[in-house]
Amino acid sequence: IYNVVFKATVFDEIAAIKDFIVSVASKELALKYVDELEQEVYALSYLAPCVSDTDSSIVKQYHPNARKIITHNKKWTIIFHIDGDYVIIDKIIPSKMIIA
């Protein structure tokens, strides 16, 4: 089992997702949505080794050994890498931004 660590910028990305949902729906829905997204991220503590490296240049710009998972109903791509006992979350971006 790996420890999941977020880069500081990822917290801003999650906050932006929450703020957007609040603006179009409700605070309660936003909190539930973000909680579910974070649970999927924390599942990488045991799933990360099962995810293959990617050849995507978009993903590789965040780390040379980057991996990605598409989550939350295919809306978000979580970019991460493994370093020792840690899964480091590098970025969360809309899945439509990933070409390959």
Side-chain angles (χ1 to χ4, degrees), residues 16 19 31 40 49-50 61 65 79-80 88 94:
D19 291 344
L31 292 173
E40 291 186 58
C50 302
Q61 72 184 358
N65 298 320
I79 300 170
F80 68 96
I88 300 169

Side-chain angles (χ1 to χ4, degrees), residues 15 19 21 45 49 56 62 66 68 76 80 94 99:
D19 291 344
I21 296 170
S45 67
S56 169
Y62 298 103
K68 68 174 179 160
W76 301 103
F80 68 96
I99 296 166

Side-chain angles (χ1 to χ4, degrees), residues 33 40 70-76 95:
Y33 188 92
E40 291 186 58
I70 298 172
T71 186
H72 227 75
N73 215 14
K74 298 184 179 182
K75 294 197 183 308
W76 301 103
S95 292

Side-chain angles (χ1 to χ4, degrees), residues 1-68:
I1 296 199
Y2 293 86
N3 295 305
V4 177
V5 178
F6 293 78
K7 285 193 173 178
T9 55
V10 175
F11 291 114
D12 295 336
E13 293 158 7
I14 293 171
I17 293 167
K18 180 181 67 87
D19 291 344
F20 173 75
I21 296 170
V22 167
S23 74
V24 297
S26 69
K27 183 177 180 179
E28 293 79 21
L29 181 63
L31 292 173
K32 180 181 177 192
Y33 188 92
V34 167
D35 182 57
E36 290 171 0
L37 180 61
E38 288 175 347
Q39 287 178 27
E40 291 186 58
V41 171
Y42 281 113
L44 288 170
S45 67
Y46 58 90
L47 293 175
C50 302
V51 179
S52 302
D53 287 347
T54 181
D55 292 330
S56 169
S57 59
I58 294 169
V59 173
K60 292 287 186 188
Q61 72 184 358
Y62 298 103
H63 192 275
N65 298 320
R67 301 171 187 213
K68 68 174 179 160

